[in-house]
């Protein structure tokens, strides 16, 4: 696939979205046709080529420790800034 400018990619993505949107007569015809699901797969593939989905991140960048509400102090007994 040739390198496309960001503007051209956005136009292509908008066009693909319009083709499969609810009021599209073409989308209705695909729903009625036996090869409609295959055509939607092709559109989804084109969409992913133009705007690749973000791959899931394998490892967390940092650990998050959840603290139960009952473990949190309600008020500071003294000013921590003194």
């Amino acid at each position: 696939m040739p390198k496309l400018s960001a503007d051209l990619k956005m136009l292509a993505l908008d066009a693909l979205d319009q083709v499969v949107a609810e009021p599209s007569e073409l989308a209705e015809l695909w729903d009625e046709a036996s090869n409609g699901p295959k055509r939607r797969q092709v559109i989804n593939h084109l969409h992913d080529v133009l705007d690749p989905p973000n791959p899931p991140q394998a490892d967390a960048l940092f650990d998050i420790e959840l603290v139960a509400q009952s473990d949190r102090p309600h008020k500071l007994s003294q000013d921590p800034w003194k």
Side-chain angles (χ1 to χ4, degrees):
M1 178 153 178
K3 180 91 171 146
L4 302 175
S5 68
D7 291 343
L8 191 53
K9 282 184 182 182
M10 289 305 299
L11 286 172
L13 289 167
D14 286 344
L16 291 174
D17 289 342
Q18 288 179 16
V19 166
V20 296
E22 189 63 36
S24 168
E25 185 177 344
L26 188 55
E28 286 181 30
L29 292 173
W30 286 353
D31 289 340
E32 296 169 3
S34 62
N35 62 351
K38 179 67 176 168
R39 291 179 187 225
R40 287 188 181 269
Q41 283 180 336
V42 170
I43 295 292
N44 288 336
H45 176 70
L46 287 172
H47 197 284
D48 289 345
V49 167
L50 291 168
D51 186 24
N54 293 329
Q57 188 171 334
D59 297 324
L61 298 177
F62 50 88
D63 290 331
I64 298 175
E65 182 179 335
L66 298 177
V67 178
Q69 186 71 26
S70 60
D71 294 341
R72 295 182 187 165
H74 294 286
K75 293 183 180 178
L76 292 175
S77 56
Q78 54 184 332
D79 187 354
W81 303 109
K82 288 185 180 181

